[in-house]
Amino acid sequence: MHCLVYHVPFLTQKYGRLVKFSGQGVEKINDDIKKIHHSKTNKWDATLDALQVRKRIEHLTSENCEREKRDYKKTSDTYWNDEIFQQRSAKKKKIVEEMAIVANKYVESNTVSVSDVDNLSLDEIREELKKLGSKTRLRNRDKLLVLLKSMR
C-alpha cells in the first residue's frame, strides 16, 4: 500500500505510464526465443541460433518485409481425389501380404510335424513348448508330450 500511495504517483509523473515498468516485453521476447529454440534451432548452439533468428525477425519486421507464399500448381486434380487413396491402399495390401508370407515361413520353419513329436528328446520338447509360449514345471516326458500335442 505504501508503494501505491507514495511512489506510484511520483513515478507516473516522472516517467509516464506504468506499462514501462511491467515485464511483459521481456516475457514476450523470452516466449519467442523458447519457441525458436524448440522449432528452428539445431540445439548444438541454441543460444546463438535463437538470438540470430530473433534479430533476423526484428530486422525483417522493421523493414516491413513480408514473405511471399510459394506458388503451388496442382498437376493433376484426380491425384488428390482418387489416385492417392488407391496408392495408399495398394501399399497397405502389399505390406500385409509380405507380413503374411514372412509369418508363414516362420511357422513352417519352427513347427515339427506330429509324427516327429514322438521322436523328440526331452530338451527338444521343452524348446517346442517354449516356442509356443508355455511355461511349465513338468519333468515327465509323457506328460510334456501330452501338453505339446494339446497346444498344437
Side-chain angles (χ1 to χ4, degrees):
M1 293 304 291
H2 168 81
C3 288
L4 282 174
V5 173
Y6 292 103
H7 298 290
V8 171
F10 169 74
L11 291 173
T12 55
Q13 284 177 346
K14 187 171 183 179
Y15 298 108
R17 299 174 55 205
L18 289 176
V19 173
K20 294 178 182 178
F21 297 102
S22 75
Q24 286 179 335
V26 174
E27 290 298 325
K28 177 62 178 161
I29 290 172
N30 186 34
D31 188 42
D32 290 344
I33 287 179
K34 279 184 186 178
K35 192 184 306 179
I36 290 166
H37 170 71
H38 290 294
S39 63
K40 297 180 181 175
T41 64
N42 64 7
K43 307 214 180 17
W44 287 101
D45 192 5
T47 307
L48 179 65
D49 288 343
L51 291 173
Q52 286 176 339
V53 171
R54 176 73 183 153
K55 203 62 175 170
R56 186 172 41 240
I57 290 170
E58 285 177 7
H59 174 72
L60 292 175
T61 54
S62 68
E63 297 288 323
N64 292 328
C65 294
E66 292 286 329
R67 287 183 73 178
E68 294 179 14
K69 287 189 174 182
R70 182 172 59 102
D71 289 336
Y72 177 74
K73 296 178 183 173
K74 288 184 182 179
T75 55
S76 172
D77 287 332
T78 59
Y79 174 78
W80 294 106
N81 295 331
D82 296 324
E83 291 176 26
I84 191 168
F85 299 114
Q86 292 172 355
Q87 287 177 358
R88 288 179 180 172
S89 64
K91 192 181 221 182
K92 285 179 188 176
K93 286 178 186 175
K94 183 179 177 184
I95 290 171
V96 169
E97 288 171 359
E98 289 175 357
M99 287 173 55
I101 291 168
V102 170
N104 288 337
K105 285 182 182 178
Y106 178 77
V107 169
E108 289 171 4
S109 67
N110 288 327
T111 57
V112 178
S113 67
V114 176
S115 62
D116 292 339
V117 170
D118 294 327
N119 298 331
L120 292 177
S121 70
L122 187 61
D123 291 332
E124 291 172 338
I125 295 171
R126 286 187 184 142
E127 287 297 317
E128 286 296 317
L129 286 170
K130 270 188 191 177
K131 288 179 186 176
L132 295 172
S134 173
K135 293 182 180 179
T136 182
R137 295 183 138 186
L138 292 175
R139 293 180 181 234
N140 187 337
R141 184 178 185 282
D142 296 331
K143 290 182 180 179
L144 287 171
L145 272 174
V146 170
L147 180 62
L148 180 60
K149 289 178 182 178
S150 68
M151 289 184 70
R152 289 179 164 228

